[in-house]
Amino acid sequence: MKLKDYQDWVSDFYKKRGWYDYNSFIRCNFLAEEVGELAQAVRKIEIGRDRPDEEEETKVEKLENIKEELGDVLDNIMILADKYQISLEEIMQSHQDKLIKRFE
């Protein structure tokens, strides 16, 4: 799937549910929440949780959780980019140019 196609699909999906209407400040808070969930998923696979009240997940389940949380983070980034009419390709190119200029 092409990034542009997915970004358009995500924006349409969020618009149909009224989730797109949240302002960018609120969207950044959703993004922060999802990054926290991603951090917890990574922690589970890297160092564990040591919680006797939680059932231990398999490595496959832990990896699926990481994939799910990365998707949630990505969707929030895509919505923010869309709200400012910035394509992901444009973001990637600009960021690559910055890193090359800074480190090469």
Side-chain angles (χ1 to χ4, degrees), residues 1 3 10 12 15 28 37 39 52 61 67 70 76 78 81 98-99:
M1 176 178 288
L3 283 173
V10 165
D12 185 55
K15 285 174 184 174
C28 283
E37 291 174 9
E61 290 171 326
K67 185 167 48 173
L70 282 168
N76 278 284
M78 289 185 167
K98 177 186 90 171
L99 292 175

Side-chain angles (χ1 to χ4, degrees), residues 6-7 12 18 29 46 51 54 68 83:
Y6 187 75
Q7 186 176 5
D12 185 55
N29 284 289
E46 294 297 329
R51 292 276 309 263
E54 291 181 355
E68 179 181 333
K83 283 182 168 283

Side-chain angles (χ1 to χ4, degrees), residues 3-52:
L3 283 173
K4 173 76 171 114
D5 293 340
Y6 187 75
Q7 186 176 5
D8 290 345
W9 179 85
V10 165
S11 293
D12 185 55
F13 182 86
Y14 276 55
K15 285 174 184 174
K16 285 179 181 175
R17 285 153 184 79
W19 301 342
Y20 191 92
D21 298 335
Y22 293 112
N23 68 44
S24 296
F25 186 76
I26 291 171
R27 179 66 46 207
C28 283
N29 284 289
F30 289 151
L31 175 60
E33 179 181 336
E34 295 301 345
V35 169
E37 291 174 9
L38 174 60
Q40 185 179 57
V42 169
R43 175 183 165 190
K44 282 182 181 181
I45 202 165
E46 294 297 329
I47 63 173
R49 290 267 297 160
D50 194 25
R51 292 276 309 263

Side-chain angles (χ1 to χ4, degrees), residues 46-87:
E46 294 297 329
I47 63 173
R49 290 267 297 160
D50 194 25
R51 292 276 309 263
D53 62 331
E54 291 181 355
E55 190 172 315
E56 180 70 21
E57 296 174 325
T58 67
K59 185 171 183 174
V60 170
E61 290 171 326
K62 291 175 186 177
L63 288 171
E64 280 299 315
N65 193 27
I66 288 172
K67 185 167 48 173
E68 179 181 333
E69 297 306 338
L70 282 168
D72 291 342
V73 168
L74 184 60
D75 284 0
N76 278 284
I77 289 169
M78 289 185 167
I79 295 300
L80 283 166
D82 191 70
K83 283 182 168 283
Y84 294 105
Q85 292 87 46
I86 304 170
S87 73

